[in-house]
Amino acid sequence: MTQAINSLYRQLPSIDRVLREPEIISLTARHGQTRVVDILREMQEQARFNIREHQTLPEWSDNWAAPLRQRLEQDQMSALKPVLNLSGTVLHTNLGRALLAESAIDAVTQVMRSPVTLEYSLDGAARGHRDRALADLLCTLTGAEDACIVNNNAAAVLLVLATVAQGKEVVVSRGELVEIGGAFRVPDVMVQAGCRLVEVGTTNRTHLKDYQQAINPETGLLMKVHTSNYSIEGFTAEVSGEELAKLGIASQIPTAIDLGSGSMTDMAQYGLPVEPMPQDYLSHGIDLVTFSGDKLLGGPQAGIIVGKKPWIDAIQRHPLKRALRADKMTLAALEATLRLYQHPEQLRQTLPTLRLLTRPQDEIHDMAQQLLPNIQAYYSDKFIVRDEPCYSQIGSGSLPVDRLPSWALTFTAIDGRGSTLEKLAHQWRNLNKPVIGRLYDGRLWLDLRCLEDGSALFQALFS
């Protein structure tokens, strides 16, 4: 036995010999010798293990190039893989939220390829401020006195609290102490910002007098949090932004509102549910408003703070601002997105988020009927495939109760087993371009709201 094993060991080629093979030379030229040699050594060790444990050479022992190529190609695959989002959630947090407009993509490409005036003033060849150009644009769009941009809305809230109310009390309605994705909770942010939370009112009802009674010499901020990821219905009451602003002015205490989803346009004009806008709260006299860039705004991940200039100046000077600031690519994409709002008559066509949210159900239905015959025929041996009406959701904590009429392709397993549907969903997730659907009510649903090119689904499923 030992003699046979030693004979197998002797059949393993040296690394130098493998590297001289024509196919390996080609792979080395493309991927670099260092990585190729590392993988070949791993393969050699795998071959030795196979001989020790099974007394045989691995199947690929006469063709090292094939498994090497496969390993190298796997290494080159991006961790951020493009997918087809047919989940029924337009702003899907796990899939990157808002799709950027073409102008934003072009803007990011430009600043990646060239030095830019990120913090450079062309007037005096001195250091400028990276937020300045966007702040001016945000002021024009919202009526704010000034603005500040950080890397996400959680950072925006943290920075506001740390600047305005560190070491002091922050008064918030008990019904607005939200938790968002990743167990991110408003009370926890307050602790990190060095604030003391004061809860007022009840879960379902908070009145202005609750805020008034909580005010004392230690009060640093009156705050309202828009409950964008859940809804309380029935016997409810809340303090409006206008009421809170008046109380803050009368009490000489700053006020802030965290909008979260951050719509910058009146959604009702597009037949969508109404969502509060920062410009509304600013007009009421609220000092600071925070919101996201990558939700209803339709831009990149960013946290936007708009409001009174003295407070924005203080925020810009805070040591945390440098740690939380946005990079040049985010700023470029955000500026290009905001400029689309200067042409509201074209916004529905130029902003992908708004275009997807406003797609008519009839249009989506037509696409479903066009796709159905070929997909039905391909999967007919194991699944009943139908086109059915459904409801999409906006997602990312925006308008949690409201749904958008849509249309889907549904797959029902002929054998009636849920495991058959789960296997199909798993297969789709492992395609060259993964297809992300939704398992619900004993069926696998492909909501077509976010599919603007039907051929992309064919290519993903059948190529």
Side-chain angles (χ1 to χ4, degrees), residues 333-353:
L334 183 57
E335 179 182 4
T337 303
L338 291 172
R339 293 207 178 279
L340 297 177
Y341 284 84
Q342 293 179 309
H343 305 280
E345 62 278 357
Q346 299 177 10
L347 194 61
R348 190 170 184 171
Q349 289 73 44
T350 57
L351 192 68
T353 293

Side-chain angles (χ1 to χ4, degrees), residues 370-438:
Q370 292 169 13
L371 295 172
L372 182 63
N374 288 333
I375 293 179
Q376 206 170 42
Y378 188 82
Y379 289 98
S380 60
D381 58 331
K382 292 184 178 180
F383 300 94
I384 300 169
V385 185
R386 297 190 179 98
D387 67 298
E388 299 187 51
C390 66
Y391 286 93
S392 308
Q393 61 181 9
I394 293 172
S396 290
S398 302
L399 302 166
V401 175
D402 300 285
R403 296 291 184 266
L404 307 174
S406 187
W407 214 273
L409 298 178
T410 65
F411 295 72
T412 305
I414 293 175
D415 62 14
R417 296 178 180 175
S419 59
T420 303
L421 288 175
E422 291 172 359
K423 183 178 179 181
L424 179 61
H426 182 266
Q427 289 174 351
W428 286 347
R429 291 195 300 270
N430 285 276
L431 295 170
N432 289 331
K433 186 164 189 177
V435 174
I436 310 299
R438 178 170 60 100

Side-chain angles (χ1 to χ4, degrees), residues 58-69:
E59 295 179 359
W60 45 261
S61 59
D62 58 345
N63 181 13
W64 288 59
L68 174 62
R69 183 184 300 104

Side-chain angles (χ1 to χ4, degrees), residues 77-251:
M77 293 177 65
S78 172
L80 299 177
K81 199 169 185 179
V83 304
L84 290 180
N85 175 18
L86 307 184
S87 65
T89 301
V90 178
L91 296 172
H92 198 303
T93 297
N94 297 344
L95 299 180
R97 292 184 178 166
L99 301 180
L100 293 186
E102 288 301 317
S103 59
I105 295 169
D106 291 341
V108 172
T109 302
Q110 182 175 336
V111 301
M112 291 173 68
R113 286 182 171 155
S114 171
V116 295
T117 54
L118 178 64
E119 292 185 354
Y120 187 90
S121 172
L122 292 174
D123 293 335
R127 183 165 185 164
H129 198 290
R130 66 173 57 201
D131 291 354
R132 190 66 264 150
L134 268 73
D136 292 342
L137 184 53
L138 281 162
C139 290
T140 299
L141 292 170
T142 67
E145 294 179 9
D146 206 350
C148 171
I149 298 94
V150 289
N151 57 15
N152 64 22
N153 191 51
V157 174
L158 176 66
L159 189 53
V160 165
L161 291 169
T163 302
V164 179
Q166 188 171 40
K168 298 182 178 180
E169 295 180 352
V170 179
V171 184
V172 185
S173 167
R174 183 170 282 108
E176 296 174 0
L177 296 176
V178 301
E179 175 181 313
I180 62 173
F184 175 91
R185 295 179 173 181
V186 167
D188 296 338
V189 179
M190 291 188 181
V191 171
Q192 293 302 315
C195 306
R196 299 190 300 276
L197 169 66
V198 176
E199 302 177 28
V200 296
T202 63
T203 301
N204 61 318
R205 291 178 69 82
T206 299
H207 305 279
L208 187 62
K209 66 180 180 181
D210 295 318
Y211 278 91
Q212 291 171 324
Q213 292 169 358
I215 293 175
N216 65 71
E218 292 297 309
T219 304
L221 180 68
L222 305 178
M223 188 172 182
K224 183 174 176 62
V225 180
H226 177 50
T227 56
S228 59
N229 63 350
Y230 74 97
S231 176
I232 299 176
E233 298 181 349
F235 188 57
T236 64
E238 67 173 296
V239 176
S240 70
E242 187 172 7
E243 290 176 309
L244 192 66
K246 288 180 179 179
L247 177 60
I249 293 169
S251 307

